[in-house]
Amino acid sequence: MWRSLRPLGRSAASGGYRRYAWTGADADCRLWFRMQAEARRLDVETDRNGNQWAWLGDPTAGDAVVTGSHLDSVPDGGAFDGPLGVVSAFAALDELRARGASFRRPLAIVNFGDEEGARFGLACVGSRLTSGQLTKEKAYELRDADGITLPQAMEAAGHDPEAIGEDRERLDRIGAFVELHVEQGRALDLSGDAVGVASAIWPHGRWRYDFHGEANHAGTTRLVDRRDPMLTYAETVLAARREAELAGAVATFGKISVEPNGVNAIPSLVRGWLDARAADQDALDAVIAGIETAARDKAAAHGIDLAVVRESFTPVVEFRHALRDELVRLLGGKAPVLGTGAGHDAGILSAAVPTAMLFVRNPTGVSHSPAEFAAEDDCVAGVRALADVLEGLACR
């Protein structure tokens, strides 16, 4: 499976992946999913929001056990973030069949669409739409860097955008959702464990900072006469680092756009996107407030107009203890339980259905990078752990 998936959407220049929603690379990944499912005699369907489902058993019977993840990527992302959960789901089914397992509940493998939000700026679009956390009206407002709207992109890819929206009937069929994911951090590497169980996902969000200044000539405009939004933006980036350190949180300006974007021109507009996460809501609130206060103070000092827009937010997700504890029991009671600062479809769905997560060791902790890695032995351990969990939930 890795050999057939590896080349899809891969950049020859960076070695990373550019599998953006509703593009040719996304279509290739969707075809790959369908072929893997059909090779295992599973019934494949695409729901109204573009998520793919491969079913073993009657989808309408209810109380289904679902596993899977996503196949899209961040810009120049790694091979494991998302795909490991999908590949492991198919491999776990192969393992269960090899064991001669008999299923008493329907089983589904899912590929959620547009989890990373790399194209339209909002993460977990497929699961947010399905759960009702993203309305059709708000989804229609999403645009990519070229001005193409989400419905335009969906329609160009052959999907009907008129059908998108909350899918309560589908969620009511699910008794448990278990997502396997490569760990995005080094907790398992430090503990010496190949596989762990998630306890919670930190609250996190994305904020857009628009710094409006005045375009002017870089060579003739005196420093004292400038309204340079880049200066205010740079000071805000430093403030984000300081506030995060004070709160034991993380805050990152990782995306920027500049107008008019000329080497010899003072910018008229600098737009930066902030990603901020913390272990609890109070800490996150303190970080966000501190960054915005610093930005507004600097903006006032430099004659810059500032607008701050919260583009997305996900509160803390505490996975249901009963399902989490059942996973630990099914894994022999020895799997470590750990939290994470990364968001996932399992976190989005947790408000609607019982969800849980398994993490596979990442020896470097590197993620969202071509250098992302998981050892084959650990991946196999993850498959076996997922098979044990699915057997316990769906077969006994």
Side-chain angles (χ1 to χ4, degrees), residues 191-258:
S191 70
D193 297 285
V195 179
V197 176
S199 60
I201 298 175
W202 288 10
H204 56 279
R206 298 178 181 182
W207 289 260
R208 192 186 78 234
Y209 278 62
D210 295 342
F211 300 90
H212 293 269
E214 182 180 38
N216 216 325
H217 197 294
T220 61
T221 309
R222 298 189 310 161
L223 294 180
V224 295
D225 293 333
R226 299 185 179 202
R227 294 177 57 222
D228 185 353
M230 185 65 78
L231 181 62
T232 309
Y233 168 74
E235 291 173 326
T236 303
V237 172
L238 296 175
R241 178 60 179 261
R242 289 194 301 270
E243 294 296 330
E245 287 179 336
L246 288 172
V250 291
T252 308
F253 278 96
K255 179 180 177 181
I256 182 174
S257 68
V258 182

Side-chain angles (χ1 to χ4, degrees), residues 166-180:
E166 184 175 9
D167 197 347
R168 175 55 55 182
E169 179 183 358
R170 181 171 299 274
L171 292 178
D172 287 344
R173 302 175 186 174
I174 302 173
F177 174 57
V178 180
E179 181 175 5
L180 179 144

Side-chain angles (χ1 to χ4, degrees), residues 134 150 181 372:
L134 174 63
L150 175 61
H181 206 281
E372 183 179 83

Side-chain angles (χ1 to χ4, degrees), residues 199-345:
S199 60
I201 298 175
W202 288 10
H204 56 279
R206 298 178 181 182
W207 289 260
R208 192 186 78 234
Y209 278 62
D210 295 342
F211 300 90
H212 293 269
E214 182 180 38
N216 216 325
H217 197 294
T220 61
T221 309
R222 298 189 310 161
L223 294 180
V224 295
D225 293 333
R226 299 185 179 202
R227 294 177 57 222
D228 185 353
M230 185 65 78
L231 181 62
T232 309
Y233 168 74
E235 291 173 326
T236 303
V237 172
L238 296 175
R241 178 60 179 261
R242 289 194 301 270
E243 294 296 330
E245 287 179 336
L246 288 172
V250 291
T252 308
F253 278 96
K255 179 180 177 181
I256 182 174
S257 68
V258 182
E259 297 178 11
N261 204 28
V263 175
N264 59 350
I266 298 167
S268 60
L269 170 66
V270 174
R271 177 169 286 140
W273 282 264
L274 169 68
D275 179 298
R277 309 167 190 237
D280 59 70
Q281 189 62 53
D282 289 344
L284 182 60
D285 289 343
V287 170
I288 295 305
I291 296 171
E292 183 170 345
T293 296
R296 293 197 180 281
D297 288 346
K298 297 298 183 182
H302 298 309
I304 303 301
D305 296 322
L306 171 62
V308 180
V309 178
R310 189 178 81 175
E311 292 194 337
S312 68
F313 177 74
T314 303
V316 63
V317 173
E318 186 78 26
F319 289 112
R320 300 193 190 185
H321 291 192
L323 183 57
R324 180 200 66 190
D325 294 345
E326 178 67 2
L327 262 63
V328 173
R329 186 190 70 79
L330 290 169
L331 298 178
K334 299 178 181 179
V337 178
L338 58 149
T340 178
H344 301 282
D345 291 308

